[in-house]
Amino acid sequence: KLAIIEADSMLEDLMTDLGFRGENLGAKLKSANQETFRPLSAAWEAHTVRNKIAHEGLGFDIGANEAKRIIALYEQIFREFGYI
């Protein structure tokens, strides 16, 4: 869960570096579209899971395979932009 939260923070930093504006990652994602940020659907999917972790806390159960899949989404985005 912590890795997903940290990756989401990195995604927000990436979007800021790319020039997207907003007070949080959700706002930055809303200001993007498929033309300006190609992996938008993957970013939304990963960010949605992060929000569930943040808002449901210990009540949100995520299996190891699902957590790895979500981290892979972040990794795909970061690699596409040379962020990692």
Side-chain angles (χ1 to χ4, degrees):
K1 290 181 182 180
L2 181 59
I4 291 171
I5 291 170
E6 290 179 1
D8 202 70
S9 179
M10 288 175 62
L11 178 57
E12 183 170 7
D13 291 344
L14 170 63
M15 293 199 73
T16 299
D17 291 349
L18 292 172
F20 293 97
R21 299 289 171 240
E23 64 182 59
N24 56 42
L25 181 55
K28 290 173 186 168
L29 290 170
K30 286 178 185 175
S31 74
N33 60 50
Q34 288 295 136
E35 291 178 13
T36 60
F37 192 74
R38 202 171 62 84
L40 185 60
S41 60
W44 269 118
E45 182 178 357
H47 182 62
T48 299
V49 171
R50 177 265 174 209
N51 280 347
K52 289 179 181 178
I53 292 168
H55 297 291
E56 296 177 31
L58 295 175
F60 180 70
D61 187 34
I62 185 169
N65 288 337
E66 179 65 2
K68 288 177 185 177
R69 188 183 73 78
I70 296 301
I71 290 297
L73 291 175
Y74 285 111
E75 182 180 1
Q76 170 190 341
I77 295 165
F78 299 149
R79 289 194 186 282
E80 181 171 334
F81 289 95
Y83 207 64
I84 58 169

